[in-house]
Amino acid sequence: MRSLSKKQRISALAATAALVVAGVTAGTATAGPSEKESTAKAGAQPAAMSAVQKTQLIKKADSAEAKAADAKALGLGSKEKLQVSDVIKNQDGSTHVRYERTYDGMPVLGGDLVVHKSKSGKQTGVTKNTKADIKVSTEGVSAAEKPATPKAKGSKAPRKVVYASSGKPVLAWETVKGGTQKSGAPSQLHVITDAKTGKKLNQYQAIQEADGTGASQYSGEVKLTTDGSDGNFTLTDKSRGSSKTTNLENSESGDGKEFTDKDNKWGTGKPEDAQTAAVDAHYGGMQTWDFYKEVFKREGIAGDGKGAPSRVHYGDNYVNAFWDDSCFCMTYGDGEGNKAPLTSLDVAAHEMSHGVTSTTAKLEYAGESGGLNEATSDIFAAAVEFHAPENKEDVGDFLVGEEIDINGDGTPLRYMDKPSKDGNSLDEWSDKAGDVDVHYSSGIANHWFFLMSMGSGKSEKNGVKYDSPTSDGSTVKGIGITKAQQIWFKALTENMTSNTDYKAAREATVKASNDLFGKDSTETKTVEAAWTAVAVK
């Protein structure tokens, strides 16, 4: 990949792809989305749960008895153990238990699965990341063959694992290489090597970046939930899991210093005021929290009622922002000349949505699953913008990073109606999609989502005009963003696993739509048509 200028040094947020199939949907390309044809079945939607109820549900699923029963029903071997990572409960009482797996005490990378159960607790199905039997031998592998631990800051010693993400499961070493990426962000590069041959099997970056440049406060005057009393207010939101926004003061580590204010009136709208970036970041965190809670009954990014911290003023002239699972936090740089904080609403929602993915499907940040990971963040970034209170400064749209003007000419970073307009993103799938940078291969799913929401051809929403082509010239009539986001969230949280590719994503969204709207519904037909239109069959 060519070297990037400071203004370009960012991981692109995502791209869009064209999708449409002839004869499946009616109407013209300019007809726009329809929200009235059918309503999602209440029972198939997430049930509202408090943090305590969620904890109790996970505890019950994680009991030795429950795990043993599921392991037996799945036909797992005696060396295989299940570890509950999450449980989704629907309004009809059905549950979806997400498991990680170990083999002889070793983590199985790619061994994750979801067990679907009825209200009575009976298994109704299972979604596996790998269908291969897990059988490996540790014979002939000694500690002396362990890869050397990188010396860079943040590196972690190799751990023995079973690699089952693709092909036949094998014994492997997983090494985490720390240090700093080319963009300036910290590095947590996971490298997987065959324990017997030393061959590299896979690698992925755990620090997930977003790029952009900003010039000022992006959302105009906003309401903030803070804590404290006259003379001593802080940017702490106790109503949203004690989410907190802190000041790194240009350092690259630590929790940051607490922002304080005497009159509870924050920032000036100008980047020279250190509080301004904090206002945007805090507001973005609030709106992202509210979106997941109000739309999907998810209390907090991880669904555990706990807030996700935001840190602003990272590094010096840092033109980026990133999500970090290790601190479960969002971090923002100040952009070129420390005058353009990367704190717009869609950047915040994009990055925080990485936290949702990391606690549900855990889509690996490489290959096609990496593209789906990035697309998920772009999809929900758009959804958060549309869900947020009416904001003339930053209206809901299907553009990515339009406020931060990273190109310097007023154009957005990415386009969901036609991803390739950014010069890099994919409009449709090909067998080389897995070899493309995840920020560009994400365009396939972004385009699918746009077609699902708005349809193909010319359309307009909130004063923003679009023109979305399809790969085969067919016409797709959108079903509206509300239904489209319901389908994607259900597919992500219930049917996708760590190495889901585009073909499997199609299967996951079809299943989600069947559950929500019915097998022969207009919504499911549109899901299939849209995927076909972006060449995912």
Side-chain angles (χ1 to χ4, degrees):
M1 194 172 182
R2 71 182 188 280
S3 60
L4 302 176
S5 67
K6 284 186 178 179
K7 194 171 285 187
Q8 295 171 315
R9 243 186 358 242
I10 51 177
S11 303
L13 286 174
T16 51
L19 60 158
V20 165
V21 66
V24 176
T25 55
T28 67
T30 57
S34 170
E35 295 276 8
K36 300 179 180 180
E37 292 179 2
S38 62
T39 303
K41 300 174 185 177
Q45 298 182 63
M49 289 190 293
S50 67
V52 173
Q53 290 172 322
K54 176 84 169 182
T55 299
Q56 292 174 339
L57 189 64
I58 292 176
K59 184 176 180 181
K60 180 180 179 181
D62 203 34
S63 69
E65 182 181 0
K67 290 189 292 187
D70 281 346
K72 182 178 180 180
L74 293 169
L76 300 186
S78 60
K79 292 185 177 182
E80 295 179 82
K81 304 296 181 184
L82 295 173
Q83 298 177 340
V84 175
S85 61
D86 191 25
V87 181
I88 297 293
K89 183 177 182 180
N90 290 336
Q91 293 178 29
D92 62 5
S94 62
T95 56
H96 307 271
V97 184
R98 188 174 290 276
Y99 284 115
E100 298 294 325
R101 204 177 340 176
T102 62
Y103 178 85
D104 201 16
M106 297 177 290
V108 179
L109 305 185
D112 52 309
L113 53 91
V114 186
V115 174
H116 312 288
K117 299 183 179 182
S118 66
K119 182 178 180 179
S120 66
K122 180 181 178 181
Q123 273 196 28
T124 58
V126 61
T127 301
K128 292 183 177 181
N129 188 49
T130 178
K131 296 180 181 179
D133 291 334
I134 309 297
K135 294 180 180 179
V136 300
S137 172
T138 59
E139 293 182 7
V141 178
S142 66
E145 296 168 304
K146 182 187 297 186
T149 304
K151 296 181 180 180
K153 180 181 179 181
S155 297
K156 295 182 180 179
R159 65 170 182 168
K160 196 176 291 185
V161 300
V162 175
Y163 182 71
S165 292
S166 62
K168 181 181 178 181
V170 297
L171 191 67
W173 293 105
E174 178 187 33
T175 305
V176 178
K177 297 182 178 180
T180 303
Q181 299 182 54
K182 290 182 179 179
S183 66
S187 175
Q188 289 180 16
L189 183 66
H190 291 241
V191 180
I192 319 299
T193 55
D194 190 302
K196 294 185 177 180
T197 66
K199 178 183 177 181
K200 185 167 75 173
L201 301 173
N202 194 18
Q203 71 176 40
Y204 67 92
Q205 178 59 250
I207 296 292
Q208 298 158 1
E209 298 179 271
D211 51 353
T213 59
S216 67
Q217 185 175 354
Y218 303 103
S219 298
E221 295 295 318
V222 297
K223 293 182 179 179
L224 298 176
T225 302
T226 61
D227 189 43
S229 57
D230 288 347
N232 188 28
F233 292 98
T234 66
L235 288 175
T236 301
D237 189 348
K238 291 186 175 180
S239 67
R240 296 178 176 85
S242 292
S243 300
K244 180 178 291 189
T245 301
T246 59
N247 187 357
L248 284 173
E249 300 180 299
N250 303 119
S251 69
E252 296 182 359
S253 62
D255 296 330
K257 182 180 179 181
E258 193 168 62
F259 278 99
T260 61
D261 191 80
K262 293 182 178 180
D263 60 5
N264 213 15
K265 295 181 180 179
W266 303 82
T268 62
K270 298 183 182 299
E272 289 78 13
D273 185 331
Q275 288 187 1
T276 297
V279 169
D280 278 312
H282 203 66
Y283 174 73
M286 288 170 54
Q287 295 306 320
T288 304
W289 175 289
D290 290 351
F291 167 76
Y292 283 108
K293 180 179 180 179
E294 294 169 12
V295 177
F296 301 122
K297 308 297 187 293
R298 189 177 183 84
E299 186 84 12
I301 300 303
D304 58 3
K306 297 179 182 179
S310 293
R311 307 181 303 174
V312 297
H313 303 307
Y314 172 90
D316 183 35
N317 291 294
Y318 181 64
V319 190
N320 219 323
F322 59 88
W323 172 267
D324 186 347
D325 272 341
S326 66
C327 62
F328 210 73
C329 69
M330 178 67 207
T331 305
Y332 302 88
D334 286 326
E336 281 195 58
N338 293 322
K339 294 181 178 180
L342 283 77
T343 50
S344 65
L345 177 58
D346 59 356
V347 172
H350 173 104
E351 293 307 319
M352 290 182 174
S353 291
H354 277 306
V356 175
T357 299
S358 74
T359 52
T360 55
K362 294 180 173 63
L363 291 164
E364 187 175 277
Y365 209 59
E368 291 191 21
S369 61
L372 289 166
N373 187 319
E374 273 295 307
T376 295
S377 285
D378 277 352
I379 285 168
F380 290 132
V384 169
E385 275 196 347
F386 280 107
H387 181 266
E390 184 177 351
N391 186 338
K392 295 180 180 179
E393 299 292 329
D394 188 6
V395 300
D397 55 47
F398 293 92
L399 307 174
V400 182
E402 72 281 358
E403 292 294 322
I404 55 181
D405 191 22
I406 190 146
N407 298 317
D409 58 4
T411 59
L413 178 61
R414 287 197 294 273
Y415 304 78
M416 298 185 84
D417 62 328
K418 187 180 180 182
S420 60
K421 286 175 68 175
D422 67 13
N424 294 296
S425 294
L426 303 182
D427 285 337
E428 60 190 66
W429 183 87
S430 75
D431 58 7
K432 297 186 183 301
D435 299 325
V436 177
D437 184 283
V438 298
H439 299 90
Y440 303 141
S441 62
S442 60
I444 303 165
N446 282 351
H447 194 186
W448 172 87
F449 185 74
F450 180 87
L451 291 172
M452 286 290 296
S453 301
M454 295 293 292
S456 59
K458 294 182 179 180
S459 58
E460 181 175 341
K461 193 172 185 67
N462 288 346
V464 182
K465 296 181 180 181
Y466 307 99
D467 192 356
S468 190
T470 60
S471 62
D472 56 3
S474 58
T475 298
V476 170
K477 183 179 179 181
I479 60 173
I481 190 171
T482 299
K483 292 177 182 178
Q485 69 193 24
Q486 283 179 307
I487 292 169
W488 191 262
F489 183 81
K490 189 173 182 68
L492 175 78
T493 57
E494 297 179 13
N495 304 321
M496 294 186 189
T497 55
S498 57
N499 289 104
T500 292
D501 58 15
Y502 271 105
K503 181 180 179 180
R506 174 177 175 139
E507 295 170 355
T509 50
V510 168
K511 184 178 187 304
S513 184
N514 286 344
D515 291 344
L516 286 168
F517 302 104
K519 189 172 183 180
D520 296 319
S521 65
T522 297
E523 289 78 6
T524 295
K525 291 178 181 178
T526 304
V527 169
E528 295 173 321
W531 280 124
T532 299
V534 292
V536 177
K537 302 176 181 180

